[in-house]
Amino acid sequence: MAFGGVNKKSIMAERTYNGFTNRETWLVNVFYRESILEDGINLIEGNLEYVKEDIQNRIDRFMDVHIHGCIVQELICSKEIVKSINWSELEDHYTKELEFQAKTNAKVIAE
């Protein structure tokens, strides 16, 4: 074992959140997966841009409705959250998923 008795697998697990680089990126996957994938591989980038705008709009609407200066609101509804989402990781993840689905479907049809 490396790193003073801690194996590499557990170190990698500490750096990820359910397979994604952080919680924010994982949450986009949880809440927007179907929307991102619905138009196929050619529109992933556009769908991710739509999701980014939707999240920013939701933050703006929430900030307009609630009392400004609330620490919980400031922590939860920060524009910094959108910046911490790993958009390129999501694009790569969904591209690979759709490519896998295409290969799997092609093999099923060929058999």
Side-chain angles (χ1 to χ4, degrees):
M1 284 192 222
F3 306 103
V6 179
N7 65 31
K8 186 176 178 180
K9 187 175 181 178
S10 67
I11 289 172
M12 291 303 293
E14 291 173 13
R15 294 184 183 163
T16 62
Y17 195 94
N18 292 329
F20 291 90
T21 54
N22 56 36
R23 184 174 188 265
E24 294 81 4
T25 304
W26 172 74
L27 283 171
V28 170
N29 178 62
V30 169
F31 286 98
Y32 288 96
R33 181 180 179 280
E34 297 303 319
S35 300
I36 294 167
L37 292 174
E38 73 183 348
D39 295 321
I41 199 163
N42 295 329
L43 297 175
I44 289 175
E45 187 176 340
N47 289 352
L48 286 170
E49 187 60 37
Y50 168 79
V51 167
K52 186 176 185 178
E53 290 173 11
D54 186 56
I55 292 169
Q56 290 172 334
N57 290 337
R58 288 172 184 251
I59 290 170
D60 291 342
R61 283 194 309 268
F62 186 82
M63 293 299 282
D64 288 343
V65 172
H66 294 83
I67 301 170
H68 290 282
C70 173
I71 189 166
V72 173
Q73 179 179 349
E74 295 296 327
L75 288 169
I76 294 172
C77 287
S78 167
K79 294 272 186 182
E80 296 301 313
I81 288 173
V82 178
K83 292 178 185 175
S84 67
I85 297 168
N86 189 335
W87 297 102
S88 60
E89 176 187 11
L90 288 167
E91 183 175 3
D92 184 54
H93 172 78
Y94 294 123
T95 299
K96 287 178 181 175
E97 181 173 340
L98 288 171
E99 287 172 350
F100 176 77
Q101 288 177 4
K103 287 178 186 177
T104 303
N105 289 340
K107 289 180 182 178
V108 171
I109 294 170
E111 292 176 3

